[in-house]
Amino acid sequence: MLRIRLTRTGKKAQPSFRIVVGEHSRAVQRKYLEILGQYIPQVQPKILKVNKERIQHWLSVGAQPSDTVAVLLKKEGFADMDKFIAPRDKKKKGKKEKPEEAAPASAAPKAEAAPKAEAAPVEETPAG
């Protein structure tokens, strides 16, 4: 399966990325079929240069963009990129609710439940 993805170039602490198409099983930094564009996030405003005709060609052939590339292409104006974007969890990571707070609330209805019927006493008969 073909993937359109980013491969990192640039110096340490100054990343820039190439948008490339290649086999999904190959290493990201290794062999790719074609360079489709460039993304430089460190400058203001961020630079995104893409070859729209070639990207349309590879999408029509069946190449799938990675999640990040799909977001970038959607901002660039490509339609139907939503199906390639993974859903994001909007909840912030932080302190979880304490289970002690939830336990007393759930224990209260059990206390109000009807008392259990007492079992009949069982008589023991001596063996023998």
Side-chain angles (χ1 to χ4, degrees):
M1 174 172 54
L2 295 174
R3 286 295 258 193
I4 300 173
R5 58 187 176 187
L6 297 175
T7 182
R8 185 183 163 130
T9 60
K11 295 188 274 184
K12 185 194 301 188
Q14 295 178 358
S16 61
F17 299 92
R18 287 180 180 161
I19 301 172
V20 299
V21 63
E23 188 65 31
H24 80 282
S25 60
R26 289 197 185 255
V28 176
Q29 297 292 331
R30 297 294 176 230
K31 195 172 184 178
Y32 47 83
L33 299 174
E34 185 177 354
I35 298 173
L36 302 175
Q38 177 179 356
Y39 176 57
I40 305 172
Q42 291 295 323
V43 297
Q44 292 299 330
K46 297 176 181 178
I47 297 173
L48 177 63
K49 297 178 185 176
V50 293
N51 187 339
K52 292 184 179 185
E53 295 83 26
R54 295 305 296 165
I55 290 177
Q56 284 294 345
H57 165 75
W58 285 110
L59 289 173
S60 67
V61 171
Q64 294 184 348
S66 67
D67 184 53
T68 305
V69 172
V71 170
L72 291 173
L73 293 178
K74 183 178 179 182
K75 289 179 183 177
E76 192 67 21
F78 283 84
D80 299 330
M81 288 293 127
D82 291 329
K83 60 186 175 183
F84 300 111
I85 299 172
R88 304 283 196 278
D89 189 12
K90 297 291 182 179
K91 295 180 183 178
K92 291 184 178 179
K93 294 181 179 178
K95 294 182 180 178
K96 295 182 181 179
E97 290 185 26
K98 294 181 181 178
E100 294 87 21
E101 295 174 3
S106 62
K110 291 181 182 177
E112 297 174 2
K116 295 181 180 178
E118 294 182 18
V122 178
E123 294 182 25
E124 294 184 24
T125 55

